């Protein structure tokens, strides 16, 4: 059965190749099912190999399988082979088992994504790389897997690379891990230079038998620590892991629970004989790096609002626990907690993905609340993960975390300080995970609440509307006043026209009065009595002349009437406009008052902070009609439970988060299954507790009581609203103590200048020296080419000249 070990990494590799060639043709969901079946098959084979290893006696549980000679170069012989032992099999089982569940979950989570086949190409390659890392029988094969998971993390973190932030997060992970890779590489070089081999069998045997000097073992162990710090995201190289949340949620679960970040701890555990030979300060350094990182990340998680970033800093903190355990030679509790952490952290990440899936991509926990009503299954499994990571009895995290704290307490002079830091971290873990659960699943449903930005936008819209109304009223007032001036301008000409008309009437009256009535009557009689045509025309002309002043008078009087009418109309127009202007002036005054009132209301009711409030619904009085369309869109959204293909892995992981603690119960040697299983791989370097059972029980009670107290405090603050979250969620914690920003400023400031200077030195000095040597050779070659021209006569001439010179030298010496 052990001979089947090659199939464990071969199946994910085959899945990768098949999907690479035919993934687009298979499409969705066949590509996902193929990838899932390949990893599931790897898990089944791992179980068969595990059964074969169990059949052997404890001291014989080592099996090597050489596939081929990879690098046969002189004394440097490296085979592509696998080492199967309890430590490797422990890693292989939970890597393949949990990766299978994550693959299954991803079929539902990535539904509809245009990169569906490509995603599973990367996932299968990721699992293959991790299996090569843990199964390699030498440091170089391990390093191959080490680099493989690093490359896959870049592919998966920046999977949605069209978003610039995602692409930058992938590059950040890739570059940061190169620092750790340098430490691992130099450790490999130093190991080969010391022992002449990189096979674990040779290296660990040499360390056990005292063939490695303390100084050398110290250097190798310290360099391995650098590699582990980079891969497992410890201080100060943690900065890549929170940004790794840019990738799809299944990627986060795979990186944090089953693959990449556990690699550093595995490497240190694998090299435990070397750590045992090294100076004491190396294990102490490992323990303190882990303890400080655990506490640091826990303080940061308290103030994070992105549901995935809380879990990211939680992972950094839990990995700190693992480093703490390795540093105090607690390899069994380190591996124990790695296994339990794999269950509950994969559960928490996938459950968070289910929440995000049901909340239309929203990741801010302050926008959740009350989701237990809509997602009962997700809520239930999330609560299991919460209680497990919080160390609540009898969940899996309680057994593994408390065992690490017991080993820290038992670790000599520094142990009590390490225990205290670990306990503080445990209390903070219970607090921030309770905060996450309460904000997400309980309390008031807040998704439809406008954000402070949206509320400010609504107030701006209302103020703009009031100001627009004022502007319209003022424009109407200006137009009315202009019309009034135009009307007033018409009154004066109308008055002048009336005066002129009246003057014309007076003149016409005077002229009409000057015509005698008798003469007018005589002219009329003459017209009527005239018999001769010419006499009649003359009489008519006389009559017209005498009647003209009267007609002019009538016409003038008509003009007066018209002028009076026009003047009355002009005056009435002015009067009417004055009334209208008074109305418009009143509306302008009212509009100004409304603007002042709205501005005053906005000053009173605008949000005072830029964070979403969870204490109560925001004050929307006066702006309900001005809220952005996005608010209405969210009000129409209905949270929903995930499909069965996503819920099934959650239920299985929840069962593991509950029952995985049974792997290493502290009651007796018979119940410490994991300890007995790992014993051959630890070569007697495991620290054995001197603490009594009663002492362990007291420490466990203290830890659980502290965790319960932290949960109660979180409930009072985030459920009952009896505290001030702002006091807890300080900006310095939200920004991770500004470490990332500081490193970014250094890299973009002095760091960039140093890099540019190095590049300039390389171009001008290094390349200049190389190019200068080449130029000297070229010039010398050009000179020599004149003599080495291929003509025999030239060579004969040279020989003759040389002979003459030699003869001259001999003769000159003979003369002396």
């Amino acid at each position: 059965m052990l001979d089947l070990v090659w199939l464990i990494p071969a199946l994910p590799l085959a899945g990768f190749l098949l999907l690479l060639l035919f993934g687009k043709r298979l499409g969705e969901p066949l590509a996902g099912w193929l990838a899932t079946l390949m990893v599931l098959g790897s898990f089944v084979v791992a179980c068969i190999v595990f059964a074969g290893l169990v059949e052997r006696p404890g001291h014989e549980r080592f099996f090597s399988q050489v596939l081929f000679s990879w690098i046969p170069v002189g004394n440097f012989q490296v085979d592509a082979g696998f080492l199967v032992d309890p430590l490797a099999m422990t890693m292989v089982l939970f890597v393949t088992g949990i990766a299978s569940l994550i693959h299954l979950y991803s079929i539902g989570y990535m539904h509809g994504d245009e990169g569906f086949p490509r995603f599973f190409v990367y996932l299968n390659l990721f699992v293959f790389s991790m299996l090569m890392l843990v199964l390699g029988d030498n440091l170089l094969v391990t390093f191959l897997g080490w680099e493989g998971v690093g490359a896959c993390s870049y592919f998966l973190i920046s999977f949605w690379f069209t978003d610039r932030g995602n692409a930058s997060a992938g590059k950040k992970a890739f570059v940061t891990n190169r620092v750790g890779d340098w430490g691992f590489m130099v450790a490999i070089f130093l190991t080969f230079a010391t022992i002449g081999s990189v096979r674990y069998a040779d290296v660990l045997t040499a360390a056990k038998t005292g063939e490695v000097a303390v100084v050398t073992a110290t250097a190798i162990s310290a360099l391995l620590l650098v590699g582990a710090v980079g891969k497992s995201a410890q201080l100060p190289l943690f900065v890549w892991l929170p940004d790794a949340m840019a990738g799809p949620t299944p990627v986060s679960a795979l990186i944090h629970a089953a693959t990449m970040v556990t690699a550093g701890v595995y490497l240190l555990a694998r090299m435990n004989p070397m750590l045992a030979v090294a100076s004491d300060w190396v294990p102490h350094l490992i323990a303190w790096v882990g303890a400080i990182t655990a506490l640091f990340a826990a303080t940061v998680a308290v103030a994070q609002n992105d549901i995935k970033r809380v879990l990211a800093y939680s992972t950094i903190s839990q990995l700190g626990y693992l480093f703490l355990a390795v540093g105090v030679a607690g390899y069994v509790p380190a591996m124990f907690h790695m296994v339990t952490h794999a269950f509950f952290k994969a559960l928490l990440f996938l459950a968070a993905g289910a929440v995000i899936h049901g909340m239309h991509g929203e990741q801010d926990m302050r926008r959740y609340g009350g989701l237990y009503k809509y997602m009962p299954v997700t809520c239930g499994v999330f609560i299991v993960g919460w209680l497990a990571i919080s160390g609540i009895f009898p969940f899996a995290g309680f057994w593994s975390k408390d065992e690490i704290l017991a080993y820290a307490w038992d670790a000599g002079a520094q142990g009590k300080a390490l225990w205290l830091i670990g306990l503080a971290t445990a209390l903070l873990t219970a607090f921030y995970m309770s905060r996450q659960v309460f904000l997400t699943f309980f309390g008031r449903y807040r998704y439809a609440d406008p954000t402070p930005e949206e509320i400010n936008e609504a107030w701006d819209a209302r103020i703009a509307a009031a100001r627009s109304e004022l502007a319209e009223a003022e424009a109407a007032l200006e137009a009315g006043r202009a019309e009034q001036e135009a009307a007033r301008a018409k009154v004066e000409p109308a008055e002048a026209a009336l005066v002129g008309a009246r003057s014309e009437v007076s003149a016409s009256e005077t002229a009409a009065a000057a015509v005698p009535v008798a003469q007018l009557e005589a002219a009329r009689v003459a017209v009527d009595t005239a018999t001769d045509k010419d006499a009649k025309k003359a009489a008519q002309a006389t009559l017209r002349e005498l009647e003209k002043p009267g007609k002019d008078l009538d016409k003038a009087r008509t003009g007066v009437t018209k002028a009076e009418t026009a003047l009355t109309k002009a005056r009435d127009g002015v009067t009417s406009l004055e009334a209208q202007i008074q109305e418009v002036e009143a509306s302008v005054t009212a509009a100004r008052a409304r603007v002042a009132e709205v501005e005053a209301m906005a000053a009173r009711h605008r949000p005072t902070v830029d964070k979403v409030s969870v204490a109560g619904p925001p004050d929307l009085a006066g702006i309900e009609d001005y809220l952005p369309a996005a608010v209405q869109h969210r009000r129409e959204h209905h949270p929903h439970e995930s499909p069965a293909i996503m819920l099934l892995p959650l239920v299985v992981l929840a069962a593991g988060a509950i029952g995985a603690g049974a792997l290493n119960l502290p009651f007796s040697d018979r119940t410490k299954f994991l300890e007995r299983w790992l014993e051959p791989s630890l070569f007697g370097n495991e620290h054995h507790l001197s603490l009594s059972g009663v002492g362990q029980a007291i420490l466990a009670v203290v830890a659980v009581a502290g965790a319960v107290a932290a949960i109660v405090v979180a409930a009072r603050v985030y459920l009952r609203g009896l505290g001030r979250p702002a006091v807890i969620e300080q900006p310095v914690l939200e920004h991770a103590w500004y470490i990332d920003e500081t490193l970014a400023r250094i890299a973009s400031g002095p760091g960039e200048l140093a890099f540019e200077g190095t590049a300039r030195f390389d171009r001008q000095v290094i390349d200049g020296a190389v190019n200068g040597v080449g130029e000297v050779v070229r010039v010398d070659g050009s000179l020599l080419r004149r003599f080495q021209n291929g003509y025999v006569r030239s060579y004969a001439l040279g020989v003759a000249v040389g002979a003459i010179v030699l003869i001259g030298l001999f003769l000159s010496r003979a003369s002396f």
Side-chain angles (χ1 to χ4, degrees):
M1 291 189 290
L2 293 175
D3 291 333
L4 296 176
V5 65
W6 65 274
L7 272 175
I8 297 175
L11 287 172
L13 178 61
F16 160 72
L17 295 174
L18 289 173
L19 289 171
L20 189 64
L21 295 174
F22 307 111
K24 287 186 177 180
R25 294 184 183 179
L26 291 174
E28 182 187 348
L30 291 180
W33 281 112
L34 174 62
T36 303
L37 290 174
M38 286 299 180
V39 179
L40 182 60
S42 181
F43 174 68
V44 172
V45 175
C47 292
I48 295 172
V49 174
F50 169 72
L53 198 62
V54 169
E55 291 178 352
R56 294 188 170 194
H59 63 281
E60 295 181 7
R61 287 174 180 165
F62 292 89
F63 174 76
S64 294
Q65 183 181 69
V66 177
L67 301 181
F68 55 86
S69 181
W70 181 22
I71 308 176
V73 181
N75 294 329
F76 186 60
Q77 300 288 328
V78 179
D79 295 327
F82 301 126
L83 172 64
V84 181
D85 72 330
L87 180 61
M89 281 312 303
T90 302
M91 296 291 296
V92 167
L93 285 171
F94 82 75
V95 167
T96 55
I98 290 179
S100 300
L101 295 173
I102 293 172
H103 274 69
L104 181 63
Y105 174 95
S106 300
I107 295 174
Y109 189 86
M110 296 301 291
H111 172 66
D113 194 288
E114 61 182 12
F116 187 91
R118 177 168 57 91
F119 180 77
F120 285 95
V121 168
Y122 295 156
L123 279 192
N124 266 198
L125 182 60
F126 206 158
V127 175
F128 163 74
S129 299
M130 187 64 187
L131 291 173
M132 292 299 293
L133 189 156
V134 299
L135 282 173
D137 76 336
N138 61 73
L139 286 165
L140 205 56
V141 174
T142 296
F143 187 72
L144 174 68
W146 185 279
E147 289 300 293
V149 294
C152 291
S153 69
Y154 168 72
F155 296 145
L156 287 166
I157 293 169
S158 57
F159 180 77
W160 290 315
F161 56 85
T162 52
D163 187 317
R164 187 171 182 177
N166 295 349
S168 297
K171 289 186 288 186
K172 187 175 185 178
F174 190 81
V175 172
T176 305
N177 272 274
R178 299 291 73 75
V179 179
D181 295 350
W182 168 84
F184 191 9
M185 288 175 62
V186 177
I188 295 173
F189 300 154
L190 184 56
T191 300
F192 178 76
T194 303
I195 300 172
S197 173
V198 291
R199 291 181 68 242
Y200 287 121
D202 300 330
V203 173
L204 301 182
T205 300
K208 286 189 299 178
T209 57
E211 297 178 26
V212 181
V214 173
V215 174
T216 305
T218 300
I220 293 173
S221 300
L223 290 167
L224 291 175
L225 173 60
V226 173
V229 164
K231 193 65 71 180
S232 296
Q234 299 293 283
L235 283 169
L237 301 180
F238 74 94
V239 294
W240 67 271
L241 193 55
D243 289 353
M245 300 303 97
T249 300
V251 175
S252 304
L254 193 60
I255 290 176
H256 289 246
T259 56
M260 187 168 173
V261 296
T262 61
V265 179
Y266 166 77
L267 179 64
L268 294 176
R270 169 61 73 195
M271 297 292 287
N272 67 86
M274 194 69 71
L275 295 180
V277 177
S279 297
D280 290 342
W281 66 265
V282 174
H284 292 164
L285 179 61
I286 295 173
W288 280 104
V289 166
I292 294 172
T293 301
L295 182 60
F296 157 78
T299 62
V300 175
V302 164
Q304 301 304 305
N305 296 306
D306 186 309
I307 189 171
K308 290 173 64 177
R309 287 184 76 87
V310 173
L311 298 178
Y313 280 105
S314 170
T315 297
I316 297 171
S317 181
Q318 296 300 307
L319 289 170
Y321 268 121
L322 302 185
F323 274 71
L324 169 59
V326 170
V328 297
Y331 299 106
V332 171
M335 294 303 300
F336 185 25
H337 196 60
M338 186 187 295
V339 173
T340 60
H341 176 263
F343 280 106
F344 59 67
K345 186 51 62 69
L347 170 62
L348 289 168
F349 262 113
L350 296 185
V355 172
I356 295 168
H357 181 270
M359 291 298 292
H360 206 265
E362 179 60 58
Q363 294 185 201
D364 191 336
M365 298 184 302
R366 296 168 299 180
R367 309 289 299 280
Y368 293 161
L371 295 185
Y372 75 93
K373 295 178 291 187
Y374 307 100
M375 307 176 187
V377 177
T378 301
C379 176
V381 297
F382 204 103
I383 288 174
V384 171
W386 159 48
L387 296 175
I389 196 173
S390 299
I392 301 300
F393 178 85
F395 294 88
F398 162 78
W399 304 103
S400 57
K401 180 263 296 178
D402 276 81
E403 192 165 349
I404 291 176
L405 292 178
Y407 271 73
W409 178 275
D410 203 45
Q414 302 183 46
K416 305 303 184 291
L418 293 171
W419 174 84
L420 188 60
I421 294 175
L423 179 64
T425 301
L427 302 188
L428 287 172
T429 301
F431 178 83
Y432 68 69
M433 288 304 303
S434 301
R435 170 180 178 265
Q436 184 176 47
V437 170
F438 298 151
L439 288 180
T440 301
F441 294 103
F442 299 99
R444 183 178 55 85
Y445 178 67
R446 300 180 297 273
Y447 185 61
D449 287 355
T451 65
E453 295 80 7
E454 290 169 336
I455 294 174
N456 280 320
E457 183 181 343
W459 277 115
D460 291 340
R462 183 173 179 190
I463 291 173
R467 289 176 176 172
S468 176
E469 183 182 349
L470 173 61
E472 290 177 2
E474 289 176 338
L477 179 62
E478 290 298 321
R481 285 174 175 169
E483 190 176 352
Q484 184 184 44
E485 290 299 320
R488 285 175 177 169
K490 292 178 182 179
V491 171
E492 187 174 348
E495 290 176 343
L498 178 60
V499 171
R502 286 174 175 170
S503 298
E504 188 174 348
V505 167
S506 298
S508 297
E509 287 176 343
T510 302
V515 178
V517 177
Q519 188 178 359
L520 181 62
E521 289 296 327
R524 290 172 178 164
V525 171
V527 170
D528 292 336
T529 58
T531 56
D532 185 68
K533 184 178 181 180
D534 292 334
K536 192 172 184 68
K537 285 183 179 180
Q540 289 174 342
T542 302
L543 178 60
R544 284 196 296 274
E545 188 68 26
L546 292 173
E547 288 179 342
K548 184 176 183 300
K551 291 181 178 180
D552 289 343
L553 176 61
D554 293 338
K555 184 177 180 181
R557 286 173 176 167
T558 301
V560 169
T561 302
K562 289 181 178 180
E564 288 176 343
T565 301
L567 178 60
T568 301
K569 183 177 180 180
R571 286 174 175 170
D572 289 345
V574 171
T575 303
S576 175
L577 287 173
E578 285 178 348
Q580 292 179 15
I581 288 172
Q582 288 178 355
E583 293 178 1
V584 175
E585 285 177 340
S587 66
V588 168
T589 302
R592 285 174 178 163
R594 280 193 294 273
V595 169
E597 180 184 3
V598 170
E599 289 178 342
M601 289 175 61
R604 291 194 305 270
H605 297 291
R606 278 185 187 272
T608 56
V609 295
D610 59 355
K611 296 181 180 180
V612 177
S613 173
V614 299
D619 184 3
L620 303 180
I623 58 170
E624 187 68 43
D625 296 334
Y626 298 91
L627 293 170
V631 177
Q632 183 60 33
H633 179 71
R634 292 200 301 273
R635 288 175 175 174
E636 295 172 356
H637 174 73
H638 299 287
H640 56 84
E641 191 66 272
S642 298
I645 199 171
M646 293 172 63
L647 294 179
L648 177 60
L650 296 180
V651 173
V652 175
L653 289 169
I658 294 171
L663 290 173
N664 206 59
L665 297 174
F667 304 129
S668 68
D669 290 339
R670 295 180 60 185
T671 60
K672 296 180 180 179
F673 303 108
L674 188 62
E675 182 175 318
R676 296 202 313 273
W677 168 250
L678 292 174
E679 185 177 357
S681 298
L682 301 179
F683 307 104
N685 296 316
E686 168 79 359
H687 174 73
H688 295 285
L689 282 177
S690 60
L691 195 63
S692 66
V694 175
Q696 293 183 55
I698 292 173
L699 293 179
V701 169
V702 170
V704 172
V708 171
I711 293 173
V712 171
V713 171
R716 288 176 59 84
V717 174
Y718 294 100
L719 280 184
R720 302 183 63 188
L722 299 180
R724 295 176 56 193
V727 175
I728 300 169
E729 302 164 10
Q730 292 294 321
V732 67
L733 304 180
E734 185 177 358
H735 291 271
W737 298 89
Y738 298 101
I739 293 176
D740 196 359
E741 289 92 333
T742 302
L743 292 177
R745 283 194 293 270
I746 292 173
S748 61
E752 186 174 355
L753 294 175
F755 299 147
E756 290 178 353
T758 302
R760 192 180 305 111
F761 178 82
D762 180 64
R763 289 193 304 269
Q764 297 178 357
V765 178
I766 306 300
D767 290 350
V770 174
N771 294 335
V773 171
E775 183 66 20
V776 170
V777 172
R778 189 189 66 80
V779 172
D780 291 345
S782 299
L783 294 174
L784 291 174
R785 189 170 56 194
R786 298 180 181 179
F787 300 99
Q788 300 291 332
N789 53 20
Y791 294 110
V792 176
R793 61 177 179 271
S794 298
Y795 300 155
L797 178 61
V799 171
V801 171
I804 293 171
V805 171
L806 289 174
I807 292 171
L809 288 174
F810 285 130
L811 292 176
S812 64
R813 290 179 181 275
S815 63
F816 289 102

